[in-house]
Amino acid sequence: MQNQENQWWKKSIMYQIYPRSFQDSNGDGIGDLRGIINRIDYIASLGVDLIWLGPVYESPNDDNGYDISDYYKIHPEFGTMVDFDELLEKLHARGIKLIMDLVVNHSSDEHAWFEESRKSKDNPYRDYYYWRDGKNGGPPNNWTSFFEGSAWKYDEQTDQYYLHLFTTKQPDLNWENPVVREEIYKMMRFWLDKGVDGFRMDVISLISKRLEFEDSPVETLMHQVYNYFSNGPRIHEFLKEMNREVLSKYDIVTVGEGPGITKNVALDYIGKDRNELDMIFQLDLMFLDNGPSGKFDRRPVSMLEFKKLMTDWNNAIGDRGWNNIFLDNHDFPRMVSRFGNDGKYRIESAKLLLTYLLTMRGTPCIYQGSEIGMTNVKFTSEDDYRDVETINYFEQVRAEGKDLNHALDMVHTQGRDNVRTPIQWDNSQQGGFSEGQPWIKINPNYTGINVEAADKDKTSILHFFRKMTAFRKSNVVLQDGDYVDLYPDHEALYIFSREAGNEKVYVLLNFSDDDQVIPAELKLGDVLMSNYEDNDVLKLLPWECRVCS
Ligand code: ISL
Ligand code: CA
C-alpha cells in the first residue's frame, strides 16, 4: 500500500515457497499445505518474515498452477481451504506474513469463463478473452507465445482465434472489459478479507494489450516482449484502478512481476506518488544471459555487466520507490549454479550470494532451498523433465532436426526444473520430501546436501544464513542506507558501501575462484561477517565475502 508511514515490507525478508516441491505430507509425491504447516518451525528458524506462496488454486497444471481454473478454490492436491486458513493463522502467530500469487493476465482454458467464452460469438463471456479472425488463412498476427509457437490458437467451434501469450491452455484475459476487472477485484478482496498480506502479481506488465495486434517486424520472442507485449497503453490506468478499488483499502504489500519492466519504466509502476504497486521483481538480471532467441540461446555474462545492471537499477529507483532483490526463483536456475561455483566452492559461493542478497538495498527474496545451497540438476533423460517450457523446447529442437545433446546441455543450465526438484530435507529415501514417488525426481546430491546435515554442521550455509538474516534485521543501515558501488570496473570484486547518517558498512565480495588483492586505499574497520574464519587484511580468498565497518 502506498503513502503509508509504516512500510513494514521495506524491512521484511521474503522467502518463496513453491508448494509442489516443498514438503509432501500424504505420500502422493506432491508437496502440499499440510507439508508447509509441518515445516513451520523450520521456516520460522530462518529469520524470514514474509512468505510468497506460489499458486495453490485449482488448476489443470499445464503450467504448474499458473493456469487457474478456479480462483476461489484450493487445488485438492494441495489440501483444503481449512488447511490454508490454518497455515495463514500459524504463520501470523509467529509474526510471518504471507502473500499469494495473483495470476490474472490469463486463466486456464478450463476456467468456467473460458468454457463459456468459446461456445459462441454472442456468449456473454465471449468478451472475457481476446477472440479475433484469422488473416490470410493464418493467425491474426505473427506474435510468438512464450512457450509454444504462435500466440494465437484456432478454435473450430466459432472459426476464430484466441490470444495466449503463454501455453494454449492459458488464454489471456481481456482487461479492456470492465466486468472482467470487477471480477478480478472481487476475487482479490476475497483473499485479502481472509487476511492474506498481499500479492505477487504474475506478468502484470502484460495485462494491457496493444489492440491493433500489429505484426512484429522481428520474430524473436524477446523483441516482441519488449515492444509489443509489455507496458501496454492502459497498464497504469488499470493498476491505478486496482489500487483505488482494492489495494489501498488494506495494509498489504504488492510485488509486480513481468518481463519488459526495464529500469527506465520501473518507477511508473512503483514510484511513491503513483498509487500502483510497492515493488517489482526486476527480471533484467534474469534475462541478461539470454541471446536473441531467448533463454536457451545462452551468452556469457561478465561480472562488470552484472554489477552495472544492479547499480543502474538501484540508482534508477533511488528513494523514489523501493527495489526487490533476488537471484533465483521457480523460473530461473539455482543461484549458486548460475552466479557462484556449485562445485569446489559451493559452500563459500552460496554464502557469498546470500550475503549479497541480505546486504543490498531493497527487500531481499530468497527462494526455497537456496538457504542450503541446493544446485541445478542434470537429468540425463528427457523423460525426467516436467516443465512445459522445457518439454516444448525439446519438441521444437526435434522438429527442426537440431542437436538434442546441445538442447539437453542448455536445459541443464537454463531450464526451470533446475529449481523445481524437491527440497532436500534429509538423506532418507526421497530426501524426506515424500514417502511416495515425487512428481519430479529429487536431485541425486540430496545425500550430501540436505537440511538435516546442514542443521548439524555449525559451519553450514544454513547456519550462516540464519546469522545473516539476524544481522540484517539488527543493522538499520543495511535496510535503508545508501548504496555505492566502489569499484565498478573491477572484473572479479564487487565492493560496495551502505551508508546512513554516521553509520557505514562495506561489503566485499570476491566473485572468483582466485585470491584477489583488496584495494589498498580502502580503510576498513572490524570484520562483522564473513564466510571464512580467518581474514587476511591484504586479500580475499576464493568466493570470500566480508562485511566490515
Ligand atoms: O521463465 C520464463 C520463460 O523463460 C520467464 O520469461 C517467465 O515466463 C516470466 O518471468 C513470467 O513468469 C510467470 O508467468 C508464467 C509462468 O510460467 C511462470 O512460472 C511465472 O513466474 C505464466 O504464468
Ligand atoms: Ca501431497
Side-chain angles (χ1 to χ4, degrees):
M1 194 170 93
Q2 297 290 332
N3 299 330
Q4 182 195 331
E5 282 305 301
N6 170 33
Q7 289 167 324
W8 51 267
W9 40 269
K10 291 188 176 174
K11 299 184 170 64
S12 297
I13 300 176
M14 270 175 92
Y15 182 73
Q16 181 190 352
I17 293 185
Y18 192 69
R20 244 186 140 62
S21 305
F22 193 70
Q23 174 71 68
D24 176 23
S25 72
N26 61 352
D28 67 355
I30 299 169
D32 44 51
L33 293 169
R34 179 62 47 198
I36 303 174
I37 295 169
N38 293 343
R39 293 290 183 184
I40 221 157
D41 286 340
Y42 174 74
I43 297 168
S45 80
L46 298 175
V48 300
D49 50 13
L50 177 60
I51 303 294
W52 154 25
L53 184 67
V56 287
Y57 313 94
E58 215 166 74
S59 159
N61 278 329
D62 188 48
D63 186 17
N64 281 3
Y66 283 93
D67 49 322
I68 296 168
S69 49
D70 191 333
Y71 291 97
Y72 291 91
K73 291 213 175 97
I74 298 290
H75 195 306
E77 67 188 13
F78 292 129
T80 64
M81 194 60 89
V82 176
D83 297 330
F84 178 83
D85 292 340
E86 183 181 332
L87 173 63
L88 186 61
E89 194 192 309
K90 290 199 160 145
L91 286 171
H92 282 171
R94 287 161 191 263
I96 300 172
K97 297 187 190 262
L98 177 135
I99 65 174
M100 302 285 283
D101 227 304
L102 183 78
V103 190
V104 289
N105 172 69
H106 43 268
S107 73
S108 162
D109 66 337
E110 296 181 34
H111 193 291
W113 296 338
F114 190 77
E115 286 176 343
E116 284 300 313
S117 183
R118 75 180 345 161
K119 281 186 182 159
S120 67
K121 286 186 180 169
D122 55 9
N123 187 285
Y125 291 89
R126 187 66 171 179
D127 241 14
Y128 271 50
Y129 298 87
Y130 294 100
W131 291 97
R132 293 292 185 275
D133 289 328
K135 206 175 68 186
N136 313 322
N141 70 15
N142 69 351
W143 291 3
T144 323
S145 80
F146 277 82
F147 297 148
E148 47 185 305
S150 167
W152 298 93
K153 167 119 168 137
Y154 179 69
D155 203 40
E156 265 180 2
Q157 210 151 257
T158 50
D159 189 31
Q160 280 195 318
Y161 291 77
Y162 65 85
L163 178 71
H164 64 92
L165 294 182
F166 293 88
T167 74
T168 54
K169 287 182 67 61
Q170 293 168 296
D172 283 55
L173 281 162
N174 178 10
W175 276 71
E176 302 292 322
N177 181 348
V179 185
V180 168
R181 302 204 299 274
E182 197 34 62
E183 284 280 8
I184 291 169
Y185 302 156
K186 191 174 101 193
M187 178 270 288
M188 292 171 73
R189 286 183 206 111
F190 168 82
W191 290 99
L192 293 171
D193 289 341
K194 263 185 178 300
V196 311
D197 303 288
F199 295 106
R200 173 266 185 190
M201 300 187 182
D202 192 63
V203 288
I204 202 70
S205 55
L206 309 184
I207 59 174
S208 158
K209 312 298 184 215
R210 292 178 173 77
L211 300 172
E212 311 81 32
F213 292 116
E214 268 174 33
D215 277 332
S216 162
V218 183
E219 296 245 355
T220 59
L221 174 65
M222 279 330 216
H223 180 88
Q224 299 185 4
V225 169
Y226 282 94
N227 298 286
Y228 291 88
F229 300 177
S230 60
N231 311 320
R234 296 184 70 189
I235 178 74
H236 298 295
E237 181 193 332
F238 294 157
L239 289 176
K240 282 187 200 309
E241 180 185 84
M242 179 200 278
N243 188 294
R244 195 171 60 239
E245 297 292 318
V246 186
L247 306 176
S248 60
K249 305 202 186 327
Y250 300 84
D251 178 17
I252 54 169
V253 65
T254 54
V255 195
E257 187 248 16
I261 309 182
T262 61
K263 62 178 190 299
N264 302 328
V265 302
L267 279 177
D268 295 344
Y269 286 81
I270 57 167
K272 273 181 187 164
D273 51 351
R274 296 284 295 176
N275 295 317
E276 295 188 21
L277 303 178
D278 295 322
M279 296 186 268
I280 46 165
F281 285 124
Q282 53 97 351
L283 292 175
D284 284 355
L285 179 69
M286 296 294 116
F287 294 150
L288 196 55
D289 65 358
N290 290 11
S293 304
K295 71 194 307 182
F296 297 118
D297 179 19
R298 191 185 66 232
R299 67 174 196 93
V301 169
S302 75
M303 208 37 223
L304 298 184
E305 284 175 276
F306 177 103
K307 290 194 288 186
K308 181 170 182 333
L309 189 146
M310 296 307 283
T311 303
D312 285 353
W313 264 87
N314 178 77
N315 298 347
I317 306 295
D319 52 15
R320 287 163 293 158
W322 191 248
N323 244 322
N324 184 286
I325 306 289
F326 72 103
L327 293 172
D328 56 8
N329 65 28
H330 67 293
D331 288 335
F332 300 99
R334 280 285 173 192
M335 67 179 192
V336 70
S337 302
R338 192 180 200 185
F339 301 111
N341 174 336
D342 66 3
K344 187 169 173 200
Y345 295 111
R346 185 185 67 89
I347 294 177
E348 292 79 3
S349 64
K351 289 178 182 173
L352 172 142
L353 294 169
L354 291 167
T355 300
Y356 180 59
L357 288 167
L358 291 163
T359 54
M360 269 301 273
R361 184 158 200 277
T363 299
C365 185
I366 290 86
Y367 180 66
Q368 66 178 34
S370 287
E371 75 277 15
I372 57 164
M374 279 177 63
T375 68
N376 282 352
V377 70
K378 290 190 164 81
F379 294 137
T380 49
S381 164
E382 274 178 48
D383 299 339
D384 291 334
Y385 285 95
R386 295 286 174 271
D387 176 22
V388 63
E389 179 183 59
T390 296
I391 292 168
N392 290 346
Y393 170 61
F394 283 134
E395 243 171 52
Q396 189 195 329
V397 170
R398 184 169 290 109
E400 291 170 358
K402 293 195 179 142
D403 181 1
L404 277 162
N405 285 325
H406 172 75
L408 197 58
D409 270 358
M410 280 295 141
V411 168
H412 287 165
T413 57
Q414 308 294 86
R416 303 197 296 183
D417 282 338
N418 280 311
V419 274
R420 297 179 179 186
T421 60
I423 292 293
Q424 300 163 197
W425 293 104
D426 56 41
N427 64 10
S428 69
Q429 237 194 346
Q430 310 301 358
F433 166 71
S434 173
E435 281 171 3
Q437 218 41 48
W439 68 277
I440 185 171
K441 280 188 175 165
I442 191 157
N443 191 321
N445 66 18
Y446 77 91
T447 50
I449 302 171
N450 62 64
V451 170
E452 193 182 58
D455 242 330
K456 284 189 189 136
D457 173 5
K458 291 284 174 225
T459 69
S460 67
I461 300 166
L462 180 60
H463 279 283
F464 182 84
F465 179 63
R466 290 180 178 136
K467 268 187 264 167
M468 270 313 298
T469 54
F471 182 67
R472 181 176 177 99
K473 289 275 169 184
S474 58
N475 279 275
V476 180
V477 65
L478 291 178
Q479 289 158 24
D480 56 16
D482 288 339
Y483 155 96
V484 181
D485 180 359
L486 299 172
Y487 296 91
D489 297 326
H490 201 296
E491 311 255 348
L493 291 183
Y494 190 170
I495 303 180
F496 56 90
S497 60
R498 299 294 313 278
E499 189 170 4
N502 48 20
E503 258 196 87
K504 185 166 184 171
V505 298
Y506 294 91
V507 180
L508 290 78
L509 310 166
N510 177 4
F511 274 84
S512 81
D513 290 354
D514 305 306
D515 293 0
Q516 298 288 340
V517 174
I518 298 174
E521 67 278 9
L522 263 184
K523 297 277 167 287
L524 301 171
D526 296 341
V527 178
L528 308 173
M529 273 289 174
S530 175
N531 56 353
Y532 279 82
E533 290 249 333
D534 296 312
N535 305 107
D536 189 317
V537 285
L538 299 178
K539 62 174 197 241
L540 293 170
L541 296 172
W543 297 98
E544 180 171 345
C545 64
R546 238 181 253 185
V547 183
C548 298
S549 58

Short mmCIF file of all heavy atoms in Angstrom, two decimals, residues 154-189:
data_model
loop_
_atom_site.label_atom_id
_atom_site.label_comp_id
_atom_site.label_asym_id
_atom_site.label_seq_id
_atom_site.Cartn_x
_atom_site.Cartn_y
_atom_site.Cartn_z
N TYR A 154 -6.36 -21.44 -32.95
CA TYR A 154 -7.61 -21.51 -33.71
C TYR A 154 -8.61 -22.38 -32.98
O TYR A 154 -8.27 -23.43 -32.47
CB TYR A 154 -7.32 -22.08 -35.10
CG TYR A 154 -8.54 -22.23 -35.96
CD1 TYR A 154 -9.20 -21.09 -36.44
CD2 TYR A 154 -9.05 -23.48 -36.28
CE1 TYR A 154 -10.34 -21.21 -37.22
CE2 TYR A 154 -10.18 -23.62 -37.06
CZ TYR A 154 -10.83 -22.48 -37.53
OH TYR A 154 -11.95 -22.61 -38.31
N ASP A 155 -9.86 -21.91 -32.92
CA ASP A 155 -10.90 -22.71 -32.30
C ASP A 155 -12.02 -22.94 -33.33
O ASP A 155 -12.69 -21.99 -33.75
CB ASP A 155 -11.43 -21.98 -31.06
CG ASP A 155 -12.08 -22.94 -30.08
OD1 ASP A 155 -11.54 -24.04 -29.88
OD2 ASP A 155 -13.14 -22.59 -29.52
N GLU A 156 -12.19 -24.17 -33.71
CA GLU A 156 -13.14 -24.53 -34.77
C GLU A 156 -14.56 -24.09 -34.48
O GLU A 156 -15.28 -23.66 -35.37
CB GLU A 156 -13.16 -26.06 -34.92
CG GLU A 156 -12.23 -26.54 -36.00
CD GLU A 156 -12.26 -28.05 -36.14
OE1 GLU A 156 -13.03 -28.72 -35.42
OE2 GLU A 156 -11.48 -28.56 -36.96
N GLN A 157 -14.93 -24.25 -33.21
CA GLN A 157 -16.32 -24.00 -32.83
C GLN A 157 -16.88 -22.69 -33.38
O GLN A 157 -18.01 -22.63 -33.83
CB GLN A 157 -16.39 -24.01 -31.31
CG GLN A 157 -17.71 -24.46 -30.77
CD GLN A 157 -17.53 -25.12 -29.41
OE1 GLN A 157 -17.55 -26.33 -29.27
NE2 GLN A 157 -17.33 -24.34 -28.39
N THR A 158 -16.07 -21.64 -33.31
CA THR A 158 -16.57 -20.34 -33.79
C THR A 158 -15.70 -19.79 -34.91
O THR A 158 -15.84 -18.63 -35.30
CB THR A 158 -16.59 -19.30 -32.64
OG1 THR A 158 -15.29 -19.32 -32.02
CG2 THR A 158 -17.64 -19.63 -31.60
N ASP A 159 -14.78 -20.59 -35.41
CA ASP A 159 -13.93 -20.19 -36.53
C ASP A 159 -13.16 -18.89 -36.22
O ASP A 159 -13.02 -18.03 -37.08
CB ASP A 159 -14.79 -20.04 -37.79
CG ASP A 159 -13.94 -19.84 -39.05
OD1 ASP A 159 -12.81 -20.36 -39.11
OD2 ASP A 159 -14.43 -19.14 -39.97
N GLN A 160 -12.69 -18.76 -34.99
CA GLN A 160 -11.85 -17.61 -34.64
C GLN A 160 -10.65 -18.08 -33.82
O GLN A 160 -10.62 -19.23 -33.38
CB GLN A 160 -12.65 -16.58 -33.82
CG GLN A 160 -13.54 -15.69 -34.67
CD GLN A 160 -14.02 -14.46 -33.89
OE1 GLN A 160 -14.40 -14.56 -32.73
NE2 GLN A 160 -14.01 -13.30 -34.56
N TYR A 161 -9.70 -17.16 -33.63
CA TYR A 161 -8.51 -17.46 -32.84
C TYR A 161 -8.60 -16.76 -31.49
O TYR A 161 -9.15 -15.66 -31.40
CB TYR A 161 -7.25 -16.93 -33.52
CG TYR A 161 -6.86 -17.64 -34.79
CD1 TYR A 161 -7.54 -17.38 -35.98
CD2 TYR A 161 -5.79 -18.52 -34.81
CE1 TYR A 161 -7.16 -18.01 -37.17
CE2 TYR A 161 -5.40 -19.16 -35.98
CZ TYR A 161 -6.08 -18.89 -37.16
OH TYR A 161 -5.69 -19.51 -38.31
N TYR A 162 -8.03 -17.37 -30.44
CA TYR A 162 -7.89 -16.63 -29.17
C TYR A 162 -6.41 -16.42 -28.86
O TYR A 162 -5.55 -17.20 -29.26
CB TYR A 162 -8.61 -17.36 -28.02
CG TYR A 162 -8.04 -18.71 -27.63
CD1 TYR A 162 -6.97 -18.81 -26.73
CD2 TYR A 162 -8.59 -19.88 -28.13
CE1 TYR A 162 -6.46 -20.05 -26.36
CE2 TYR A 162 -8.08 -21.13 -27.78
CZ TYR A 162 -7.01 -21.21 -26.88
OH TYR A 162 -6.50 -22.42 -26.52
N LEU A 163 -6.16 -15.34 -28.11
CA LEU A 163 -4.78 -14.96 -27.78
C LEU A 163 -4.30 -15.73 -26.54
O LEU A 163 -5.02 -15.83 -25.54
CB LEU A 163 -4.73 -13.46 -27.48
CG LEU A 163 -3.37 -12.89 -27.06
CD1 LEU A 163 -2.40 -12.86 -28.25
CD2 LEU A 163 -3.53 -11.47 -26.50
N HIS A 164 -3.10 -16.26 -26.61
CA HIS A 164 -2.47 -16.88 -25.43
C HIS A 164 -0.98 -16.55 -25.47
O HIS A 164 -0.24 -17.10 -26.27
CB HIS A 164 -2.69 -18.40 -25.40
CG HIS A 164 -2.05 -19.14 -26.55
ND1 HIS A 164 -0.78 -19.66 -26.46
CD2 HIS A 164 -2.50 -19.42 -27.79
CE1 HIS A 164 -0.49 -20.23 -27.62
NE2 HIS A 164 -1.51 -20.09 -28.45
N LEU A 165 -0.54 -15.65 -24.61
CA LEU A 165 0.89 -15.30 -24.62
C LEU A 165 1.74 -16.42 -24.03
O LEU A 165 2.93 -16.49 -24.27
CB LEU A 165 1.14 -13.99 -23.87
CG LEU A 165 0.52 -12.73 -24.52
CD1 LEU A 165 0.88 -11.49 -23.71
CD2 LEU A 165 0.95 -12.55 -25.97
N PHE A 166 1.10 -17.30 -23.25
CA PHE A 166 1.85 -18.46 -22.71
C PHE A 166 1.31 -19.71 -23.42
O PHE A 166 1.17 -19.68 -24.63
CB PHE A 166 1.77 -18.46 -21.18
CG PHE A 166 2.52 -17.27 -20.62
CD1 PHE A 166 1.89 -16.04 -20.44
CD2 PHE A 166 3.88 -17.35 -20.36
CE1 PHE A 166 2.60 -14.93 -19.99
CE2 PHE A 166 4.59 -16.25 -19.93
CZ PHE A 166 3.95 -15.04 -19.74
N THR A 167 1.01 -20.81 -22.73
CA THR A 167 0.60 -22.01 -23.48
C THR A 167 -0.83 -21.85 -24.01
O THR A 167 -1.57 -20.95 -23.59
CB THR A 167 0.64 -23.29 -22.60
OG1 THR A 167 -0.47 -23.28 -21.70
CG2 THR A 167 1.94 -23.41 -21.82
N THR A 168 -1.20 -22.77 -24.88
CA THR A 168 -2.55 -22.72 -25.45
C THR A 168 -3.60 -22.91 -24.36
O THR A 168 -4.76 -22.58 -24.55
CB THR A 168 -2.74 -23.83 -26.50
OG1 THR A 168 -2.41 -25.09 -25.90
CG2 THR A 168 -1.84 -23.60 -27.70
N LYS A 169 -3.18 -23.46 -23.24
CA LYS A 169 -4.12 -23.66 -22.14
C LYS A 169 -4.15 -22.48 -21.16
O LYS A 169 -4.68 -22.56 -20.07
CB LYS A 169 -3.81 -24.97 -21.39
CG LYS A 169 -4.22 -26.20 -22.22
CD LYS A 169 -3.97 -27.52 -21.49
CE LYS A 169 -4.85 -27.74 -20.27
NZ LYS A 169 -6.31 -27.78 -20.55
N GLN A 170 -3.52 -21.36 -21.59
CA GLN A 170 -3.52 -20.13 -20.76
C GLN A 170 -4.03 -18.93 -21.57
O GLN A 170 -3.26 -18.02 -21.89
CB GLN A 170 -2.10 -19.87 -20.25
CG GLN A 170 -1.59 -20.93 -19.27
CD GLN A 170 -0.10 -20.82 -18.99
OE1 GLN A 170 0.73 -21.00 -19.89
NE2 GLN A 170 0.28 -20.55 -17.75
N PRO A 171 -5.32 -18.93 -21.91
CA PRO A 171 -5.85 -17.81 -22.71
C PRO A 171 -5.77 -16.48 -21.94
O PRO A 171 -6.05 -16.44 -20.74
CB PRO A 171 -7.32 -18.21 -22.94
CG PRO A 171 -7.64 -19.18 -21.84
CD PRO A 171 -6.37 -19.91 -21.53
N ASP A 172 -5.38 -15.42 -22.64
CA ASP A 172 -5.25 -14.10 -21.99
C ASP A 172 -6.61 -13.49 -21.70
O ASP A 172 -7.49 -13.44 -22.56
CB ASP A 172 -4.44 -13.16 -22.89
CG ASP A 172 -2.96 -13.46 -22.82
OD1 ASP A 172 -2.60 -14.63 -23.05
OD2 ASP A 172 -2.17 -12.55 -22.50
N LEU A 173 -6.75 -13.00 -20.47
CA LEU A 173 -7.99 -12.34 -20.06
C LEU A 173 -8.05 -10.93 -20.66
O LEU A 173 -7.04 -10.24 -20.75
CB LEU A 173 -8.06 -12.25 -18.53
CG LEU A 173 -8.47 -13.54 -17.82
CD1 LEU A 173 -8.08 -13.49 -16.35
CD2 LEU A 173 -9.99 -13.77 -17.98
N ASN A 174 -9.25 -10.53 -21.02
CA ASN A 174 -9.45 -9.22 -21.66
C ASN A 174 -9.70 -8.14 -20.61
O ASN A 174 -10.83 -7.93 -20.17
CB ASN A 174 -10.63 -9.31 -22.62
CG ASN A 174 -10.93 -7.97 -23.27
OD1 ASN A 174 -10.15 -7.02 -23.15
ND2 ASN A 174 -12.06 -7.89 -23.96
N TRP A 175 -8.63 -7.45 -20.24
CA TRP A 175 -8.72 -6.39 -19.23
C TRP A 175 -9.47 -5.15 -19.74
O TRP A 175 -9.78 -4.26 -18.95
CB TRP A 175 -7.32 -6.01 -18.75
CG TRP A 175 -6.84 -6.93 -17.66
CD1 TRP A 175 -6.48 -8.24 -17.79
CD2 TRP A 175 -6.70 -6.60 -16.27
NE1 TRP A 175 -6.11 -8.75 -16.57
CE2 TRP A 175 -6.23 -7.77 -15.62
CE3 TRP A 175 -6.91 -5.44 -15.52
CZ2 TRP A 175 -5.97 -7.80 -14.24
CZ3 TRP A 175 -6.65 -5.48 -14.15
CH2 TRP A 175 -6.19 -6.65 -13.53
N GLU A 176 -9.71 -5.07 -21.05
CA GLU A 176 -10.47 -3.93 -21.57
C GLU A 176 -11.91 -3.99 -21.06
O GLU A 176 -12.60 -2.98 -20.99
CB GLU A 176 -10.51 -3.97 -23.11
CG GLU A 176 -9.14 -3.95 -23.78
CD GLU A 176 -8.41 -2.63 -23.60
OE1 GLU A 176 -9.07 -1.57 -23.63
OE2 GLU A 176 -7.18 -2.68 -23.42
N ASN A 177 -12.34 -5.20 -20.76
CA ASN A 177 -13.71 -5.43 -20.33
C ASN A 177 -13.85 -5.12 -18.83
O ASN A 177 -13.30 -5.82 -18.00
CB ASN A 177 -14.07 -6.90 -20.62
CG ASN A 177 -15.49 -7.25 -20.23
OD1 ASN A 177 -16.16 -6.48 -19.54
ND2 ASN A 177 -15.94 -8.42 -20.66
N PRO A 178 -14.63 -4.08 -18.49
CA PRO A 178 -14.72 -3.67 -17.08
C PRO A 178 -15.30 -4.77 -16.19
O PRO A 178 -15.00 -4.82 -14.99
CB PRO A 178 -15.67 -2.46 -17.10
CG PRO A 178 -16.15 -2.30 -18.48
CD PRO A 178 -15.39 -3.21 -19.40
N VAL A 179 -16.10 -5.64 -16.76
CA VAL A 179 -16.68 -6.73 -15.97
C VAL A 179 -15.59 -7.71 -15.53
O VAL A 179 -15.59 -8.21 -14.41
CB VAL A 179 -17.79 -7.47 -16.77
CG1 VAL A 179 -18.46 -8.50 -15.89
CG2 VAL A 179 -18.80 -6.48 -17.33
N VAL A 180 -14.63 -7.94 -16.42
CA VAL A 180 -13.50 -8.81 -16.08
C VAL A 180 -12.72 -8.18 -14.93
O VAL A 180 -12.38 -8.85 -13.94
CB VAL A 180 -12.57 -9.02 -17.31
CG1 VAL A 180 -11.26 -9.67 -16.89
CG2 VAL A 180 -13.28 -9.83 -18.38
N ARG A 181 -12.47 -6.91 -15.03
CA ARG A 181 -11.69 -6.24 -13.98
C ARG A 181 -12.43 -6.33 -12.64
O ARG A 181 -11.85 -6.61 -11.62
CB ARG A 181 -11.40 -4.78 -14.36
CG ARG A 181 -10.64 -4.66 -15.70
CD ARG A 181 -9.87 -3.36 -15.79
NE ARG A 181 -10.70 -2.17 -15.72
CZ ARG A 181 -11.31 -1.59 -16.77
NH1 ARG A 181 -11.21 -2.13 -17.98
NH2 ARG A 181 -12.02 -0.48 -16.61
N GLU A 182 -13.74 -6.10 -12.68
CA GLU A 182 -14.50 -6.16 -11.43
C GLU A 182 -14.47 -7.57 -10.84
O GLU A 182 -14.32 -7.74 -9.63
CB GLU A 182 -15.96 -5.67 -11.67
CG GLU A 182 -16.70 -5.30 -10.40
CD GLU A 182 -15.84 -4.67 -9.26
OE1 GLU A 182 -15.24 -3.58 -9.43
OE2 GLU A 182 -15.75 -5.32 -8.19
N GLU A 183 -14.54 -8.59 -11.70
CA GLU A 183 -14.44 -9.98 -11.23
C GLU A 183 -13.10 -10.21 -10.52
O GLU A 183 -13.02 -10.88 -9.50
CB GLU A 183 -14.52 -10.96 -12.41
CG GLU A 183 -15.92 -11.16 -12.97
CD GLU A 183 -16.76 -12.13 -12.14
OE1 GLU A 183 -16.33 -12.53 -11.05
OE2 GLU A 183 -17.87 -12.46 -12.62
N ILE A 184 -12.06 -9.69 -11.12
CA ILE A 184 -10.72 -9.87 -10.54
C ILE A 184 -10.61 -9.15 -9.20
O ILE A 184 -10.11 -9.70 -8.21
CB ILE A 184 -9.63 -9.41 -11.54
CG1 ILE A 184 -9.60 -10.37 -12.74
CG2 ILE A 184 -8.26 -9.33 -10.86
CD1 ILE A 184 -8.77 -9.90 -13.91
N TYR A 185 -11.11 -7.93 -9.14
CA TYR A 185 -11.03 -7.18 -7.88
C TYR A 185 -11.81 -7.89 -6.78
O TYR A 185 -11.39 -7.94 -5.62
CB TYR A 185 -11.56 -5.74 -8.06
CG TYR A 185 -10.83 -4.95 -9.13
CD1 TYR A 185 -11.44 -3.88 -9.77
CD2 TYR A 185 -9.52 -5.29 -9.50
CE1 TYR A 185 -10.78 -3.16 -10.75
CE2 TYR A 185 -8.86 -4.58 -10.49
CZ TYR A 185 -9.49 -3.52 -11.11
OH TYR A 185 -8.84 -2.81 -12.08
N LYS A 186 -12.96 -8.42 -7.18
CA LYS A 186 -13.80 -9.13 -6.20
C LYS A 186 -13.03 -10.33 -5.62
O LYS A 186 -13.01 -10.57 -4.41
CB LYS A 186 -15.07 -9.63 -6.92
CG LYS A 186 -16.15 -10.15 -6.01
CD LYS A 186 -17.41 -10.49 -6.79
CE LYS A 186 -17.49 -12.00 -7.02
NZ LYS A 186 -18.47 -12.43 -8.00
N MET A 187 -12.36 -11.04 -6.51
CA MET A 187 -11.59 -12.21 -6.08
C MET A 187 -10.42 -11.78 -5.18
O MET A 187 -10.12 -12.41 -4.16
CB MET A 187 -11.09 -12.92 -7.34
CG MET A 187 -10.23 -14.12 -7.13
SD MET A 187 -8.48 -13.71 -7.05
CE MET A 187 -8.13 -13.29 -8.74
N MET A 188 -9.79 -10.67 -5.51
CA MET A 188 -8.69 -10.18 -4.67
C MET A 188 -9.20 -9.84 -3.28
O MET A 188 -8.56 -10.16 -2.27
CB MET A 188 -8.03 -8.95 -5.32
CG MET A 188 -7.29 -9.28 -6.62
SD MET A 188 -6.76 -7.79 -7.49
CE MET A 188 -5.42 -7.25 -6.44
N ARG A 189 -10.38 -9.21 -3.22
CA ARG A 189 -10.94 -8.85 -1.91
C ARG A 189 -11.23 -10.10 -1.08
O ARG A 189 -11.03 -10.13 0.13
CB ARG A 189 -12.26 -8.06 -2.09
CG ARG A 189 -12.03 -6.65 -2.54
CD ARG A 189 -13.35 -5.87 -2.63
NE ARG A 189 -13.21 -4.79 -3.59
CZ ARG A 189 -13.81 -4.73 -4.79
NH1 ARG A 189 -14.68 -5.68 -5.15
NH2 ARG A 189 -13.58 -3.73 -5.59
#
